[in-house]
Amino acid sequence: MQTMQVRGDFPILTKTIYGKYPLVYLDNAATTQKPRSVVEAMTEEYYNVNANVHRGVHFLSQQATELHEGSRETVRKFLNARSSSEIVFTRGTTESINLVAQCFSDAFMKEGDEVIVSEMEHHSNIVSWQLQQQRKGIKLRVIPITDDGLLRLDEYEKLFNEHTRIVSVTHVSNVLGTINPVKEIIRIAHEHGVPVLIDGAQSTPHMPVDVQELDCDFFAFSGHKIYGPTGIGVLYGKEDLLDKLPPYMGGGEMIKNVSFERTTFNELPFKFEAGTPDYVATTGLAKALDYVSAIGMDKIEAHERDLTQYAMQRMNEIEGMHIFGPKDIQQHDAVISFLVAQEGSFIHHLDMGTLLDRLGIAVRTGHHCAEPLMRRLGIEGTCRASFALYNTREEVDALVAGINRVRQMF
Ligand code: PMP
């Protein structure tokens, strides 16, 4: 992969921050930067195509609808779903998970029924289910992790019982970088006749994903983490399962016929897409998926794997460095959470992040929306460096030099 060539596609990477040039952007797990092709396609649509999609007889509406439905087909291909009926546009991973939690529990769960999540979940995959706990009295069961941040599959198997209705786990941890063995997790769940939702927010941008090969029942991801616009995401669901779920929200687009006595609902996927969709964002998302597909997800994966390995090696040379998550690079995605010990205690993650920022290096600090995981690790938060296809070894070197500078200040 020609990293320097692709960097030219991202104008923001040439920014000067606090007099430091160029910006070292290592907060990609929170959101990635956008290539020109994405921004330009969206601007072009607003300037030249804009009209509300579906049901419009006029030219622009039909053109906008074609773009929007074409984007759905691009997503279908990207995930290798069987049918575009299985691709529901949402606002992002959070909304996708909430949709499944609410609609699945309404269709299939009663008081005392259980959902299995894991100790490393993002809040969106915890709180969505807790809301159903409050509404319906369902229970959360939690797969524990090892000290190295791996899921305990032996304990996972023990969680199944006659009340288990669904498993909902992350593909890749946004804190530990752990790549979970989701195929195995799905196989075990299916042996118990239980469907699985995979939170793909952190996997989709970094590795090829094939929902048929995984055999997951639901899969969620966000556009903005894969070089696309904010406010758009995807829920993949197997058609027979989606068909059995009630609608999520009521409104236009999701109905067939409405009367005050009785309303019938639209077919998939529109049943889950009430209201005017963000049809410009879907164009942007499709452009982003075209962009990464043209480079090749396997090439992006190899580049980021190399960078992560290099970063772990270089960062481990720093005195007092503590990196969380798996030591084995095969199990560790492009996310590195760390703290640096100095004279018996860790330099506070906020101090580290703020000082790195002054050196022109953007990392994320805090609990990363995973407070239960922080509790398990016995810490309040970490600094997190996360990589994308445009990051380089020189940026890793800048990070290492930056951390060493901060150490000297303490
Ligand atoms: N799950 C994981 C693993 C995440 O990293 C994130 C974003 N930090 C989310 C879910 C939520 O994604 P969004 O905010 O785009 O809905």
Side-chain angles (χ1 to χ4, degrees):
M1 212 185 90
Q2 295 300 318
T3 315
M4 290 333 267
Q5 222 165 317
V6 296
R7 284 180 75 84
D9 297 332
F10 296 83
I12 205 169
L13 296 178
T14 56
K15 259 188 101 69
T16 301
I17 306 254
Y18 300 122
K20 300 286 185 294
Y21 172 87
L23 157 72
V24 177
Y25 185 78
L26 301 178
D27 192 20
N28 297 286
T31 202
T32 52
Q33 300 303 344
K34 320 302 172 198
R36 270 200 186 85
S37 59
V38 167
V39 180
E40 283 169 1
M42 293 173 73
T43 308
E44 162 65 18
E45 185 162 352
Y46 275 127
Y47 280 157
N48 283 311
V49 184
N50 183 53
N52 206 334
V53 291
H54 302 138
R55 302 177 318 268
V57 292
H58 64 82
F59 182 86
L60 287 182
S61 174
Q62 293 195 5
Q63 209 182 351
T65 304
E66 262 172 45
L67 274 174
H68 181 63
E69 292 308 320
S71 300
R72 199 187 304 275
E73 175 58 18
T74 302
V75 175
R76 184 203 68 73
K77 269 204 210 120
F78 188 76
L79 293 178
N80 192 31
R82 269 181 210 89
S83 151
S84 59
S85 308
E86 300 182 315
I87 305 298
V88 178
F89 285 124
T90 63
R91 287 190 300 122
T93 307
T94 303
E95 189 173 64
S96 299
I97 297 174
N98 273 272
L99 190 161
V100 175
Q102 181 177 309
C103 301
F104 185 90
S105 61
D106 278 350
F108 296 114
M109 296 176 87
K110 58 182 186 319
E111 190 174 343
D113 282 348
E114 296 177 359
V115 50
I116 297 178
V117 297
S118 87
E119 212 169 11
M120 66 171 81
E121 296 310 315
H122 186 276
H123 291 163
S124 58
N125 199 23
I126 299 172
V127 185
S128 311
W129 296 103
Q130 283 173 336
L131 292 179
Q132 306 317 314
Q133 189 171 32
Q134 287 166 12
R135 279 180 71 228
K136 307 203 55 157
I138 68 164
K139 288 191 188 144
L140 276 76
R141 305 294 304 275
V142 183
I143 314 167
I145 59 167
T146 65
D147 291 342
D148 266 358
L150 299 173
L151 284 185
R152 301 233 357 226
L153 288 193
D154 51 336
E155 293 295 327
Y156 166 58
E157 292 225 50
K158 291 185 206 151
L159 293 177
F160 285 91
N161 61 43
E162 71 273 24
H163 302 293
T164 314
R165 292 290 169 266
I166 188 164
V167 173
S168 189
V169 291
T170 194
H171 198 168
V172 168
S173 161
N174 65 315
V175 178
L176 304 165
T178 314
I179 304 170
N180 286 320
V182 285
K183 226 177 143 178
E184 179 68 357
I185 288 169
I186 293 162
R187 190 190 61 72
I188 293 168
H190 286 176
E191 268 179 18
H192 291 86
V194 171
V196 181
L197 162 65
I198 299 295
D199 171 352
Q202 297 295 345
S203 60
T204 321
H206 304 293
M207 59 186 71
V209 170
D210 181 330
V211 290
Q212 290 193 65
E213 212 237 328
L214 287 177
D215 199 23
C216 54
D217 301 277
F218 300 104
F219 188 94
F221 75 95
S222 298
H224 70 98
K225 292 188 198 280
I226 185 163
Y227 314 98
T230 47
I232 193 76
V234 169
L235 172 67
Y236 157 82
K238 283 183 181 163
E239 195 161 352
D240 57 332
L241 257 175
L242 284 180
D243 243 343
K244 291 185 185 124
L245 303 189
Y248 182 48
M249 289 197 285
E253 304 266 348
M254 52 75 73
I255 51 86
K256 215 172 237 156
N257 297 106
V258 178
S259 74
F260 281 111
E261 289 71 38
R262 185 166 175 271
T263 289
T264 50
F265 302 122
N266 206 342
E267 59 209 28
L268 292 176
F270 308 110
K271 182 172 88 174
F272 295 108
E273 295 181 350
T276 300
D278 194 339
Y279 50 82
V280 177
T282 55
T283 298
L285 173 61
K287 281 288 169 197
L289 299 184
D290 286 344
Y291 182 84
V292 291
S293 300
I295 296 172
M297 285 309 300
D298 47 348
K299 290 211 177 71
I300 293 171
E301 183 181 31
H303 167 72
E304 292 176 350
R305 192 58 59 88
D306 174 71
L307 208 56
T308 307
Q309 187 164 18
Y310 178 69
M312 300 249 279
Q313 189 188 323
R314 293 265 3 243
M315 287 167 75
N316 273 321
E317 290 163 8
I318 299 172
E319 211 184 308
M321 174 59 68
H322 186 93
I323 294 177
F324 296 88
K327 309 258 179 301
D328 175 2
I329 189 70
Q330 294 311 318
Q331 294 172 309
H332 200 129
D333 205 51
V335 170
I336 304 183
S337 267
F338 66 94
L339 286 172
V340 180
Q342 188 94 308
E343 289 169 12
S345 62
F346 287 129
I347 297 173
H348 197 277
H349 52 90
L350 270 179
D351 292 334
M352 176 65 79
T354 308
L355 292 167
L356 285 175
D357 178 49
R358 290 282 156 172
L359 299 171
I361 302 164
V363 296
R364 187 135 296 241
T365 58
H367 55 58
H368 315 295
C369 296
E371 285 189 19
L373 175 58
M374 293 297 124
R375 224 156 282 136
R376 164 66 176 83
L377 299 173
I379 53 176
E380 273 176 37
T382 71
C383 275
R384 183 185 72 183
S386 51
F387 305 118
L389 59 86
Y390 39 65
N391 289 122
T392 63
R393 284 187 171 215
E394 289 71 27
E395 289 179 302
V396 170
D397 293 340
L399 172 68
V400 170
I403 297 170
N404 275 323
R405 281 251 335 251
V406 175
R407 275 187 63 242
Q408 283 155 15
M409 292 179 205
F410 277 81

